[in-house]
C-alpha cells in the first residue's frame, strides 16, 4: 500500500476517534453532574439508584457495556436496528460509562467545599441555584480539573475499544492495514497519534487549571 493511501485511511479513522472523544465529553460531563446530584440527594431511593448505577458502570468493563448497549435492543426487544445505530451505541455506552466516573469526581469536589460558603451565600440573599452555579461550581471546577484531566486522557485511549462493535476508528483501521501489509508501520503511526492527542489534551487542561488558579 502506498504511503498516501495508508495515511488517508488512518485519517478517516482518526476523525472517527475524535468524534467519539468529543461527543462522549459533550454528553458525559453534564450527565455526570446530574448523576452526582442524584447521588447526593436526600431522597433515599434516588440516591440508592444512582449509587448502584455508578457501581455497575465503574465495576464492569467498558467493552462489555458496549456489547450490551449494541446487542441489547435486539436480544431483549427483538428490535431491528439501523446501521447508524452502531456509532450511536458507542456514544451511548461511552457517555454512560464516563458519566459515572465524572459523577464521583463532581461529588468529591462539591463535598470539598466548606459549608460556610453556603451559609455566606444565604446571608447575601442568593437562592440555592444561584449559590451553586455562581459560587460553588467555579470552585468545584478548580478542585476537580486534575481528576477530570486523568479521565479525559484515558478517554482518548479508550476510543480504541469501539472496535468491539466494528466501528472503524483509528486503532481498528491501523490493525487492518497492519494485517494486510504484514507491517507494524500503521500501528506505529496510530501510536504516535494517540500520544500527540494526549499531549494536546494535557496541555489544554493544564492551561485551564492555571486559568482557574489565577481567577481564585
Amino acid at each position: 500500500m502506498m504511503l498516501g493511501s495508508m495515511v488517508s485511511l488512518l485519517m478517516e479513522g482518526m476523525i472517527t476517534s475524535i468524534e467519539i472523544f468529543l461527543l462522549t465529553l459533550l454528553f458525559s460531563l453534564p450527565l455526570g453532574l446530574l448523576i452526582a446530584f442524584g447521588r447526593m440527594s436526600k431522597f433515599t431511593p434516588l440516591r440508592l439508584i444512582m449509587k448502584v448505577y455508578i457501581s455497575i458502570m465503574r465495576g464492569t468493563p467498558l467493552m462489555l457495556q458496549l456489547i450490551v448497549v449494541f446487542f441489547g435492543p435486539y436480544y431483549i426487544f427483538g428490535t431491528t436496528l439501523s446501521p447508524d445505530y452502531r456509532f450511536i451505541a458507542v456514544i451511548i455506552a461511552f457517555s454512560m460509562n464516563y458519566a459515572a466516573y465524572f459523577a464521583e469526581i463532581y461529588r468529591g469536589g462539591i463535598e470539598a467545599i466548606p459549608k460556610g460558603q453556603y451559609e455566606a451565600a444565604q446571608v447575601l440573599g442568593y437562592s440555592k441555584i444561584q449559590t451553586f452555579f455562581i459560587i460553588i461550581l467555579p470552585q468545584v471546577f478548580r478542585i476537580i480539573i486534575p481528576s477530570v484531566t486523568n479521565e479525559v486522557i484515558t478517554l482518548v485511549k479508550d476510543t480504541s475499544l469501539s472496535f468491539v462493535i466494528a466501528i472503524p476508528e483509528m486503532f481498528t483501521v491501523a490493525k487492518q492495514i497492519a494485517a494486510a501489509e504484514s507491517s507494524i508501520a500503521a500501528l506505529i503511526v496510530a501510536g504516535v497519534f494517540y500520544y500527540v492527542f494526549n499531549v494536546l489534551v494535557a496541555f489544554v487542561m493544564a492551561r485551564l487549571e492555571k486559568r482557574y488558579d489565577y481567577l481564585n
Side-chain angles (χ1 to χ4, degrees):
M1 180 181 293
M2 297 294 292
L3 179 61
S5 299
M6 182 182 75
V7 171
S8 178
L9 289 172
L10 289 173
M11 284 294 292
E12 291 178 10
M14 179 184 72
I15 291 171
T16 301
S17 294
I18 293 173
E19 288 176 344
I20 294 170
F21 172 80
L22 293 176
L23 288 172
T24 298
L25 289 182
L26 177 65
F27 293 114
S28 64
L29 285 169
L31 179 59
L33 186 58
L34 291 176
I35 294 171
F37 288 151
R39 177 70 177 81
M40 296 184 292
S41 172
K42 294 180 180 179
F43 183 55
T44 302
L46 177 60
R47 187 172 67 251
L48 291 177
I49 289 171
M50 292 298 101
K51 187 175 181 179
V52 170
Y53 171 83
I54 291 171
S55 177
I56 292 173
M57 290 296 105
R58 297 174 70 191
T60 58
L62 176 54
M63 186 179 296
L64 174 61
Q65 294 164 23
L66 281 164
I67 294 171
V68 170
V69 171
F70 181 63
F71 291 105
Y74 175 77
Y75 286 109
I76 296 173
F77 305 108
T79 305
T80 301
L81 302 170
S82 69
D84 294 335
Y85 180 68
R86 194 178 299 274
F87 184 79
I88 294 171
V90 169
I91 302 305
I92 292 173
F94 270 74
S95 298
M96 291 177 64
N97 178 274
Y98 273 85
Y101 287 92
F102 287 136
E104 287 297 89
I105 292 173
Y106 283 129
R107 185 172 70 89
I110 292 170
E111 292 180 347
I113 303 299
K115 299 297 183 183
Q117 298 274 353
Y118 296 91
E119 296 169 357
Q122 186 176 11
V123 170
L124 293 172
Y126 285 98
S127 67
K128 290 183 177 180
I129 294 177
Q130 288 175 322
T131 298
F132 182 78
F133 284 101
I134 296 175
I135 298 176
I136 303 302
L137 195 57
Q139 296 181 71
V140 170
F141 282 151
R142 181 173 59 85
I143 294 170
I144 69 174
I145 284 177
S147 297
V148 170
T149 300
N150 289 336
E151 292 301 324
V152 172
I153 288 174
T154 300
L155 172 59
V156 173
K157 295 176 286 186
D158 276 354
T159 57
S160 63
L161 292 176
S162 58
F163 83 90
V164 74
I165 55 174
I167 290 294
E169 44 68 52
M170 182 75 164
F171 186 62
T172 300
V173 173
K175 286 195 301 180
Q176 291 171 346
I177 295 174
E181 298 294 314
S182 299
S183 169
I184 65 169
L187 293 173
I188 292 173
V189 173
V192 171
F193 159 75
Y194 286 116
Y195 176 73
V196 172
F197 197 176
N198 270 326
V199 168
L200 290 174
V201 167
F203 173 78
V204 171
M205 297 302 288
R207 297 285 295 181
L208 189 61
E209 186 174 359
K210 287 183 179 179
R211 180 175 181 273
Y212 271 98
D213 283 341
Y214 174 75
L215 292 176
N216 289 278

